[in-house]
Amino acid sequence: MMRLPKFEYRAARSVEEALAWLAEYAPAVDKDPEARAMLMAGGTDILPNMKHKVFTPKLVIGLRTVAALRGISYDPERGLRLGAGVRLSEIETSPIVQQRYPALAAAAATISTPQLRQMGTVGGNLCLDTRCNYYNQSEFWRGAREFCLKKGSEICRVAPNGTGCYAVSSCDTAPALIAFGATVRLAGRDGARATPVAALYADDGIHPVKLHDGALLTEIALPPLAGDWRSTYVKYRVRGAFDFPIASVAAVARFDGDLCAEARVTLQGVAPAPLPLPEAEALLRGQRWTPELIEAAAEVAYRAAHPMDNTSGTIALRKRIIRSYTRQALATLAAGPATTAATQAS
Amino acid sequence: AALETPVERLSAADGWIADSDDPDHRISFVKAAQRAEAAHGTLSAVGSYTPPNLGGKFKGAGVGVSPAYSYTACVAEVRVDPETYDLKVERLWVAHDCGRALNPVLVEGQIEGSAYMGFGEAVLEEQVFRKGLHKIPSLLEYKLPTIYDTPEIIAMSVETIDREGPYGAKEAGEGPLNPIIPAIANAVYAASHARVESTPITPDKIQRALREAARATTATTPQPERPEQPERKVASR
């Protein structure tokens, strides 16, 4: 049985309090990276990672008590605003999200299990650590051989000849939010700033989420979508519950009659960061989406995806899925304005 | 109150213990059991059963003999994606000969449980070792099927009254498990012409089986080999 390591827990009552506590621990982190404070929203990922001793924070700061992180609001001029502490189940069932941003509702609906979506939050999902089956293991297992690159060793077990860490970005809401052109609000000790969701991620499995200087993600903003916008999210995982994405596609497009005015395609589960496909987007923009064009875009996705052998499924299967699901997602959008919810494998 | 009736006149029916000659003279089974336990302690009985002499005199005749055998038939409906080779088991029909179904609902549950177990083994569950270490030593990565994955199961009990078994029953243990895996494997073959000979039947094994079958049929007329797809790229980022 794996138990939680010892840690101190404090429930923050405000964003400022959480930031102050993070700052309190910042000097210690310079000396010992393990001696840090971590934020906990739903706790569905941090706690299992702590049991595996992948995370060993000295202080856990609870965010559930911060009222400012709650709430979904929509304004036709300003778009959708989601508090970072909004639960995934709230997003999945929100009528406004389902109607205007169906790819986001679909992405939220495919995360883990109904029970965990009742606890997990959208902010927590965006800040999810990358995953790898050499990394998400018990300390005993990891210690049986040398630890991996992400845990301070010299060598990546997945690509011993490589130079980086290939742990996989596994949050479902990020590709959908990137495709919608969403931004996040980051509160720091010296004020708040907004940044595109895409800019939140580094193509680096070790430090995948760029929250510098102890910043706290407080809010997600999606632009208002005027016109014929269509969107969908198609996720592959081995089972219909629990499993993280190992190959998925978010597609968002605006149509002007028969022609596509804007197109965004983002892959997930195949790299250390969500993978936008500008080449496919350029191919689709300004065009009528014929089966041939959709096929060409699916081929671009197939070539762009370079998964590694560090999740369930195999490299070959995940590449095939990316091509098939990209085609499926684009065909769904081309079929008409009635956007559909997510489909998923077996 | 006690019935004060000779034992040989007592009969039990519909939850009552009654005097056969005067059915209105009765007490409930629960009351009777409570009184008996109060007077004599836990009610128990000891019995024994000796199976008939089975087998023959020849070598090996003593292996696997039983006074009764159950039989099960399974029909599997599967879908194989022609591009990704993703496998979906849509439905399983399972008919099990359990002798007499003493509790038909429980028998049905046993059949469903066996079908679920066989489905998991056939399609998902796997122990993988990589360089001496168990690759997936957790219940997140050891893929037990969830309710979303489990096919629709149509369970049927076929009652044959066995001469030896208690009240004619045979078994509904894990007998119905036996045909599930071969039925799914055969359905995969019928759907895709891929003959996969190990479990779990994964998309990659289906692809490999198809590739090998294609190679075997073109072996007489040599053709350029299809490139292995996809190229595995290492450290290109």
Side-chain angles (χ1 to χ4, degrees):
Chain A
M1 181 183 176
M2 280 180 284
R3 293 178 190 283
L4 285 171
K6 280 198 167 24
F7 63 96
E8 185 194 346
Y9 177 79
R10 293 183 206 162
R13 277 150 301 179
S14 68
V15 170
E16 292 69 30
E17 194 169 48
L19 288 172
W21 289 341
L22 277 177
E24 193 183 304
Y25 274 72
V29 175
D30 292 338
K31 279 180 247 126
D32 174 12
E34 300 290 302
R36 60 172 169 164
M38 289 188 81
L39 300 164
M40 178 165 100
T44 55
D45 201 59
I46 186 177
L47 293 176
N49 281 346
M50 283 172 69
K51 288 186 175 182
H52 280 148
K53 302 208 172 58
V54 160
F55 298 153
T56 49
K58 287 277 184 294
L59 170 67
V60 173
I61 302 170
L63 295 176
R64 234 180 346 158
T65 38
V66 182
L69 298 178
R70 298 253 161 184
I72 301 180
S73 62
Y74 178 76
D75 179 299
E77 300 288 309
R78 298 176 49 218
L80 183 74
R81 176 215 166 265
L82 300 168
V86 168
R87 288 189 307 240
L88 296 164
S89 56
E90 293 176 74
I91 293 179
E92 170 192 355
T93 55
S94 155
I96 194 75
V97 178
Q98 287 174 348
Q99 283 158 23
R100 306 223 154 232
Y101 308 93
L104 178 60
T110 63
I111 293 167
S112 196
T113 68
Q115 290 89 340
L116 291 175
R117 293 199 293 276
Q118 193 68 19
M119 293 297 288
T121 66
V122 62
N125 190 246
L126 284 178
C127 296
L128 189 77
D129 194 13
T130 49
R131 301 184 58 85
C132 171
N133 58 24
Y134 285 96
Y135 173 67
N136 298 96
Q137 300 282 7
S138 68
E139 188 180 40
F140 175 82
W141 190 96
R142 288 180 289 117
R145 197 170 315 129
E146 268 179 84
F147 291 113
C148 77
L149 193 64
K150 194 166 159 71
K151 285 308 280 180
S153 160
E154 301 284 299
I155 291 181
C156 167
R157 302 277 154 215
V158 183
N161 300 322
T163 52
C165 166
Y166 296 90
V168 178
S169 179
S170 306
C171 47
D172 288 289
T173 56
L177 288 169
I178 290 171
F180 281 121
T183 57
V184 287
R185 199 166 175 77
L186 304 176
R189 298 225 70 200
D190 40 0
R193 63 192 173 90
T195 184
V197 173
L200 193 62
Y201 299 102
D203 193 24
D204 170 6
I206 299 179
H207 303 292
V209 186
K210 292 192 273 185
L211 283 172
H212 299 307
D213 310 325
L216 168 58
L217 197 160
T218 56
E219 189 177 301
I220 298 117
L222 286 85
L225 302 176
D228 180 10
W229 284 91
R230 307 172 192 177
S231 72
T232 191
Y233 180 72
V234 198
K235 168 176 178 172
Y236 186 77
R237 52 177 166 177
V238 176
R239 295 175 296 180
F242 291 107
D243 296 347
F244 289 93
I246 54 173
S248 60
V249 183
V252 176
R254 180 167 63 87
F255 283 82
D256 190 358
D258 260 3
L259 300 181
C260 161
E262 278 181 74
R264 291 184 214 121
V265 183
T266 304
L267 308 182
Q268 182 63 315
V270 291
L275 190 65
L277 295 178
E279 194 189 331
E281 292 164 2
L283 207 60
L284 295 164
R285 199 176 303 127
Q287 303 293 319
R288 203 171 69 80
W289 287 10
T290 60
E292 294 73 26
L293 185 72
I294 288 174
E295 195 56 48
E299 206 54 46
V300 169
Y302 179 82
R303 286 200 311 272
H306 301 300
M308 307 291 283
D309 182 21
N310 58 353
T311 66
S312 48
T314 61
I315 294 171
L317 168 67
R318 287 156 72 200
K319 277 188 73 91
R320 288 197 302 271
I321 294 283
I322 284 289
R323 179 170 55 202
S324 169
Y325 280 23
T326 304
R327 183 193 304 121
Q328 193 180 316
L330 296 176
T332 303
L333 266 51
T339 46
T340 57
T343 45
Q344 66 174 32
S346 46
Chain B
L3 292 177
E4 309 290 351
T5 302
V7 169
E8 49 293 352
R9 287 223 319 262
L10 290 180
S11 61
D14 298 329
W16 296 95
I17 305 289
D19 184 341
S20 306
D21 293 349
D22 175 15
D24 289 337
H25 189 54
R26 60 183 193 175
I27 69 168
S28 80
F29 175 78
V30 174
K31 277 241 169 64
Q34 281 168 348
R35 289 183 67 93
E37 288 205 330
H40 306 289
T42 304
L43 299 177
S44 66
V46 176
S48 68
Y49 165 73
T50 309
N53 212 3
L54 298 164
K57 295 241 183 290
F58 51 92
K59 192 178 179 191
V63 176
V65 291
S66 164
Y69 296 92
S70 67
Y71 298 90
T72 316
C74 172
V75 175
E77 182 183 337
V78 309
R79 190 181 293 273
V80 179
D81 186 297
E83 179 185 11
T84 63
Y85 309 109
D86 199 38
L87 166 63
K88 179 124 181 84
V89 179
E90 305 268 350
R91 256 174 291 272
L92 292 169
W93 287 265
V94 190
H96 179 64
D97 161 16
C98 60
R100 190 195 295 279
L102 296 178
N103 183 330
V105 176
L106 277 186
V107 169
E108 212 172 289
Q110 286 292 108
I111 297 172
E112 288 177 357
S114 290
Y116 165 83
M117 208 165 141
F119 162 69
E121 264 185 75
V123 176
L124 291 168
E125 294 169 48
E126 191 173 23
Q127 310 274 359
V128 189
F129 287 83
R130 182 168 58 184
K131 293 180 185 171
L133 275 176
H134 198 307
K135 187 179 176 184
I136 47 173
S138 76
L139 287 172
L140 174 63
E141 293 299 334
Y142 183 85
K143 306 294 187 190
L144 292 163
T146 73
I147 191 68
Y148 297 110
D149 312 304
T150 308
E152 183 186 346
I153 298 164
I154 298 99
M156 290 162 272
S157 36
V158 178
E159 291 192 89
T160 56
I161 311 308
D162 191 75
R163 278 187 307 152
E164 285 290 327
Y167 305 103
K170 293 199 290 194
E171 68 86 29
E174 289 176 7
L177 174 63
N178 291 327
I180 310 294
I181 299 171
I184 292 173
N186 282 335
V188 168
Y189 179 73
S192 68
H193 298 291
R195 182 57 81 191
V196 179
E197 291 176 326
S198 67
T199 59
I201 302 168
T202 62
D204 287 287
K205 284 186 191 166
I206 293 174
Q207 185 191 32
R208 205 173 313 136
L210 288 174
R211 208 182 275 160
E212 271 159 26
R215 218 171 270 155
T217 53
T218 55
T220 43
T221 50
Q223 286 183 355
E225 200 162 300
R226 267 182 72 196
E228 294 283 317
Q229 59 150 345
E231 285 287 316
R232 181 173 164 182
K233 296 208 175 160
V234 176
S236 61
R237 259 188 302 273

